[in-house]
Amino acid sequence: MNNQVNIGTVRTFDHVEPNKKYALKPLEEAAEVFAAWQSWNKIKDQPLSIFYKQNELLDECADVIQAVCNLVTALGVQDLKPYMQACEERNRERGRL
């Protein structure tokens, strides 16, 4: 199993601001991920239906990434790599990796 996900470069929205709207958006999108996961989980053993529900779930995951990247851009950051490296190190120290 590959323990890595490539998301590529994320094009962020124009005119983002570090305000409440952009801070709350990742939370809203995460709730939509959970709802899509619940739908997927109910039918995960039905091969004919799973493809559609999995795509729906992955679309919602992408929306979360988009929302987070918009907030990052609003904070004036264009390179999240050092933060992701620090996150990986924290998870390594916690025995998750």
Side-chain angles (χ1 to χ4, degrees):
M1 178 178 211
N2 185 357
N3 292 338
Q4 184 171 303
V5 174
N6 180 5
I7 64 167
T9 301
V10 177
R11 172 73 172 98
T12 57
F13 294 177
D14 295 331
H15 314 294
V16 293
E17 296 182 26
N19 58 26
K20 186 176 181 177
K21 172 185 170 183
Y22 286 101
L24 286 173
K25 193 64 174 172
L27 181 60
E28 175 188 326
E29 296 297 345
E32 292 176 12
V33 166
F34 182 67
W37 175 85
Q38 287 178 309
S39 293
W40 171 86
N41 193 50
K42 287 179 186 175
I43 61 146
K44 67 182 176 190
D45 297 325
Q46 300 172 20
L48 296 177
S49 301
I50 192 68
F51 180 76
Y52 171 75
K53 289 296 182 181
Q54 183 166 315
N55 281 346
E56 182 181 299
L57 175 54
L58 292 171
D59 283 345
E60 294 299 345
C61 289
D63 288 347
V64 169
I65 293 166
Q66 178 72 67
V68 168
C69 289
N70 287 340
L71 180 58
V72 168
T73 296
L75 295 170
V77 175
Q78 292 182 332
D79 186 1
L80 202 56
K81 193 172 186 176
Y83 300 94
M84 293 307 301
Q85 289 170 336
C87 178
E88 182 176 322
E89 184 57 34
R90 287 190 304 274
N91 284 311
R92 191 174 310 287
E93 290 169 0
R94 294 172 182 155
R96 296 175 179 160
L97 300 175

